[in-house]
């Protein structure tokens, strides 16, 4: 993903000269873009939540990932219309503002995206600690894993403060590492199936609800599995750096989604064939169990380090995104001005980094569980996706002077319905996810109100927001 540029001299949008900013360099061809999209989607979700999905549905652990893929695919069509219509490096906040023009709604969408980045990073932090414990044979307790997760997040904050220059080429390397771990699982599973090991019949075994139904367990598991599909929406930030976004972006995004969906299904089938759903759902390192069961002679520490590397990368990118979004919102006078301060030496938004890190500390300490954190990420994003799907329909009345992708009208309608449906309590979503999301958004609303009072006292008149700084970025998996 790309960051909001951190520049101590950045002023509010009203003070920026129109046309003063140069356009981004269009360097990304279709193959590089494909690797970027696949890398954004692969990560913590499949590594950490496969077991929890199995606990919900039993052997058909692959099915919730398929359902989540379909919902993500339908929403991706909405993003495709919007990103080719407005090929700017912004995102959901830009589309929301263009569609509705209500500053508070734009702010809530941007803040929700920021919060989803923090919950995603907190999920990765917990997964990192659990995998380190198992890979190194430390056998850490729940409290020790929490402390390790906090220490890891502190390291992420230190790296963030020091300053990280991200590049697409680095993303290619990281994608290859993440992909290698999942391919190891697939190869181990297929090898074991070929040798007649494991129990392939599990892949069609449902765990039914108390009333004997299969529908609601699958829906409940989908609310978790959806976390594994996040990241595709972040690729819209690369639109300005694509050589031909209108022609390349639709095909490449859809290809990336299909590739990751197929990988997730194969990983799920391999995992459930080798490890019973009851065992797979125990603990926070499901794929390590698959390696132990299917390839006992494989050096477990190697896979453990691959997993740690994958989730560590997700945590760092998400915390970078979250802190830069807070910085951008402060610079646009929708969050307190203190959050927009930049360190004189490091040139990084140190107050925003501290603020987002404290929120992550609180989540790791008081929420802790990977399903709750990952589920909250999915909840926040499903709400954002509902708004984006509606925005597509509203913005049909806003013609542009260039050709762009146009999705069939039925798809954004279905996307809005599906996403809104998956946010409801009827899905079996844990109540704690609503509590966490509510507290995070409540903090945002309080800060919004404080900012309004500060602006009035200081005489600051907020101009039309620069959505390039307000809405850029999104969580990656």
């Amino acid at each position: 993903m790309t960051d909001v540029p951190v520049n101590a001299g950045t002023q509010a949008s009203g003070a920026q000269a129109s046309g003063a900013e140069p356009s981004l360099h269009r360097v990304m061809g279709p193959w590089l873009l494909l690797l970027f999209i696949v890398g954004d989607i692969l990560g913590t979700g499949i590594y950490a939540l496969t077991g929890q999905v199995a606990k919900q549905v039993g052997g058909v652990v692959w099915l919730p990932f398929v359902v989540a893929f379909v919902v993500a695919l339908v929403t991706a069509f909405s993003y495709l219309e919007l990103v080719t219509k407005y090929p700017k490096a912004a995102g959901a906040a830009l589309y929301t503002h263009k569609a509705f023009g209500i500053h508070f709604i734009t702010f809530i969408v941007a803040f929700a995206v920021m919060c989803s980045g923090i919950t995603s990073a907190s999920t990765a932090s917990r997964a990192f600690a659990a995998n380190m414990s198992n890979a190194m044979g430390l056998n850490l307790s729940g409290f020790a894993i929490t402390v390790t997760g906090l220490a890891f997040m502190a390291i992420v904050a230190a790296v963030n403060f020091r300053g990280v220059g991200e590049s697409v080429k680095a993303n290619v390397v990281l994608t290859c590492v993440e992909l290698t771990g999942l391919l190891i699982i697939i190869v181990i599973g297929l090898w074991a199936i070929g040798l007649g090991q494991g129990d392939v019949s599990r892949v069609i075994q449902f765990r039914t609800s108390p009333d004997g139904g299969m529908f609601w367990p699958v829906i409940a598991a989908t609310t978790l599995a959806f976390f594994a599909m996040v990241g595709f929406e972040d690729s819209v930030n690369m639109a300005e750096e694509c050589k031909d976004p209108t022609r390349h972006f639709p095909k490449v995004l859809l290809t990336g989604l299909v590739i990751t969906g197929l990988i997730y299904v194969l990983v799920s089938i391999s995992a459930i064939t080798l490890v019973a759903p009851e065992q797979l759902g125990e603990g926070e390192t499901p794929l390590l169990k698959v390696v132990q069961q299917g390839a006992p002679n494989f050096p477990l520490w190697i896979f453990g380090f691959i997993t740690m590397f994958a989730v560590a990368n997700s945590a760092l990118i998400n915390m970078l995104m979250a802190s830069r979004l807070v910085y951008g919102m402060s610079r646009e006078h929708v969050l307190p001005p203190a959050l927009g301060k930049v360190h004189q030496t490091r040139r990084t938004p140190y107050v925003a980094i501290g603020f987002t890190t404290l929120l992550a500390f609180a989540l790791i300490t008081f929420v802790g569980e990977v399903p709750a954190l990952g589920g909250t990420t999915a909840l926040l994003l499903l709400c954002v996706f509902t708004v984006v799907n509606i925005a597509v329909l509203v913005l049909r009345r806003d013609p542009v002077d260039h050709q762009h992708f146009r999705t069939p009208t039925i798809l954004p309608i279905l996307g809005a319905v599906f996403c809104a449906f998956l946010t409801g309590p009827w899905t079996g979503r844990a109540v704690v996810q609503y509590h966490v999301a509510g507290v995070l958004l409540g903090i945002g609303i309080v800060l919004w109100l404080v900012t309004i009072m500060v602006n009035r006292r200081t005489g600051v008149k907020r101009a039309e927001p620069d959505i390039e700084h307000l809405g850029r970025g999104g969580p990656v998996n």
Side-chain angles (χ1 to χ4, degrees), residues 79 135 170 208 335 344 365 436:
Y79 271 94
T208 59
L335 283 180
Q344 291 185 353
T365 302
V436 174

Side-chain angles (χ1 to χ4, degrees), residues 193-216:
I193 291 172
L195 295 177
Q197 300 174 357
D199 185 359
V200 183
S201 67
R202 293 193 192 118
V203 301
I204 57 173
Q205 294 175 358
F206 280 87
R207 172 169 293 165
T208 59
S209 60
D211 62 3
M214 300 176 184
F215 179 78
W216 291 112

Side-chain angles (χ1 to χ4, degrees), residues 111-162:
F111 199 83
V113 171
M114 185 278 295
C115 290
S116 67
I118 296 177
T119 54
S120 180
S122 300
T123 308
S125 176
R126 179 84 183 194
F128 177 92
N131 277 279
M132 186 181 77
S133 173
N134 283 271
M136 296 183 176
L138 301 177
N139 297 319
L140 299 178
S141 64
F143 174 76
I145 286 178
T146 298
V147 172
T148 304
L150 291 171
F152 169 74
M153 186 56 67
I155 294 172
V156 168
V159 174
N160 195 352
F161 170 73
R162 181 172 177 80

Side-chain angles (χ1 to χ4, degrees), residues 9-63:
T10 302
Q11 301 297 321
S13 58
Q16 292 174 340
S18 175
E21 292 289 334
S23 61
L24 296 175
H25 188 34
R26 296 188 180 276
V27 297
M28 294 187 71
W31 289 108
L32 203 55
L33 179 62
L34 178 62
L35 282 170
F36 181 89
I37 291 170
V38 172
D40 262 7
I41 301 174
L42 294 179
T44 306
I46 190 68
Y47 278 103
L49 289 176
T50 305
Q52 298 302 318
V53 173
K55 184 184 290 186
Q56 295 273 6
V57 295
V60 289
V61 62
W62 52 271
L63 184 56

